[in-house]
Amino acid sequence: MLAYSGTVGDVFKALADPTRRVIMDELVLRDGQTLFELCARLMNVHGSQSSRQAVSQHLAVLEDAGLIATHRAGRTKIHTLNTEPLRSITERWPLDR
Amino acid sequence: MLAYSGTVGDVFKALADPTRRVIMDELVLRDGQTLFELCARLMNVHGSQSSRQAVSQHLAVLEDAGLIATHRAGRTKIHTLNTEPLRSITERWPLDR
DNA sequence: TTGACAGGCAAGTGTGTGCTTGCCTATTCT
DNA sequence: AGAATAGGCAAGCACACACTTGCCTGTCAA
């Protein structure tokens, strides 16, 4: 039971940023990472140079769009991928013509 | 054989705008429309209030992203939908987990 | 309890983007 | 030929957005 307030447009706006797409890629590789883990992996694995605050704001956008879910574990925050909103894309504009 | 110069990110940026999504919707309903036809239908059918120039610029963005193809017919320009770039979305972040 | 760790909040900045405005080219009709 | 039609080009404006900066809150270890 996921509770996110994103509209359809928020999904596209969220994915319009290249850094946020890389975050999605990284969560596909390893789901359930914290903010610091994501920061380190974005730098080392993906060559991104985003600061912690920048990544944090990107994660907030992705969460508002419903593309990731979060829950706190102690002093860390676990980010989990949710690709379900992407389904509406191919449903809206069918691929087979 | 479609020739468009759009990158992956252009597809998302193109779909991040609500007016452009409505244009896509309208082209699903009735493919191969001209600029003026699209302007009229956006106003009457979809309640949009975009000017001719605004719609024209939106169509250019969609064409750069490879989401529509165009060809001239006399003094009109026919816009044809192409949903193929959308396939890369679900391929990049698979839906079934 | 004190310090380090993980993250959040809010204001300010600079670039990007959607839209308008004004004028231009090309094609069709009478 | 002349006028109307269909669309293009380019400069300017206003707002949105990504990012920084600085400081604050909560959690764990010593």
Side-chain angles (χ1 to χ4, degrees):
Chain A
M1 185 75 69
L2 282 149
Y4 52 87
S5 61
T7 68
V8 188
D10 292 334
V11 178
F12 295 100
K13 277 199 276 192
L15 294 175
D17 185 86
T19 302
R20 287 197 285 268
R21 289 196 296 275
V22 174
I23 292 177
M24 294 285 288
D25 291 337
E26 174 56 31
L27 284 178
V28 166
L29 290 178
R30 188 189 293 187
D31 205 2
Q33 296 190 56
T34 67
L35 171 60
F36 268 65
E37 286 171 344
L38 283 169
C39 284
R41 303 261 309 171
L42 287 189
M43 271 213 326
N44 302 329
V45 182
H46 301 270
S48 169
Q49 305 215 350
S50 301
S51 68
R52 179 185 65 90
Q53 294 85 345
V55 176
S56 176
Q57 287 170 352
H58 283 310
L59 289 171
V61 173
L62 289 171
E63 185 174 9
D64 284 343
L67 289 168
I68 63 174
T70 62
H71 70 274
R72 301 212 58 131
R75 62 180 159 180
T76 71
K77 191 178 183 183
I78 307 297
H79 301 81
T80 315
L81 195 66
N82 179 33
T83 55
E84 193 272 338
L86 298 178
R87 194 182 303 272
S88 60
I89 298 176
T90 50
E91 286 176 354
R92 183 168 185 175
W93 304 298
L95 288 175
D96 300 326
R97 303 179 57 78
Chain B
M1 187 73 69
L2 282 149
Y4 51 86
S5 60
T7 68
V8 188
D10 292 335
V11 177
F12 295 101
K13 277 199 276 192
L15 295 174
D17 185 88
T19 303
R20 288 197 283 268
R21 290 195 296 273
V22 174
I23 291 177
M24 295 283 289
D25 291 338
E26 175 55 30
L27 284 178
V28 166
L29 290 177
R30 186 188 294 186
D31 205 2
Q33 295 191 57
T34 69
L35 172 59
F36 267 66
E37 287 172 342
L38 282 169
C39 283
R41 304 260 310 170
L42 288 189
M43 271 211 331
N44 302 329
V45 181
H46 301 270
S48 170
Q49 305 216 350
S50 301
S51 69
R52 177 186 66 87
Q53 294 86 344
V55 175
S56 175
Q57 288 169 352
H58 282 309
L59 289 171
V61 173
L62 289 171
E63 186 175 8
D64 283 344
L67 290 166
I68 63 174
T70 63
H71 70 274
R72 301 211 58 128
R75 63 177 160 184
T76 69
K77 191 178 184 182
I78 308 297
H79 301 81
T80 315
L81 195 66
N82 177 34
T83 54
E84 192 273 339
L86 298 178
R87 193 182 303 273
S88 60
I89 298 176
T90 49
E91 285 176 356
R92 183 168 185 174
W93 303 297
L95 288 174
D96 300 325
R97 304 177 56 77

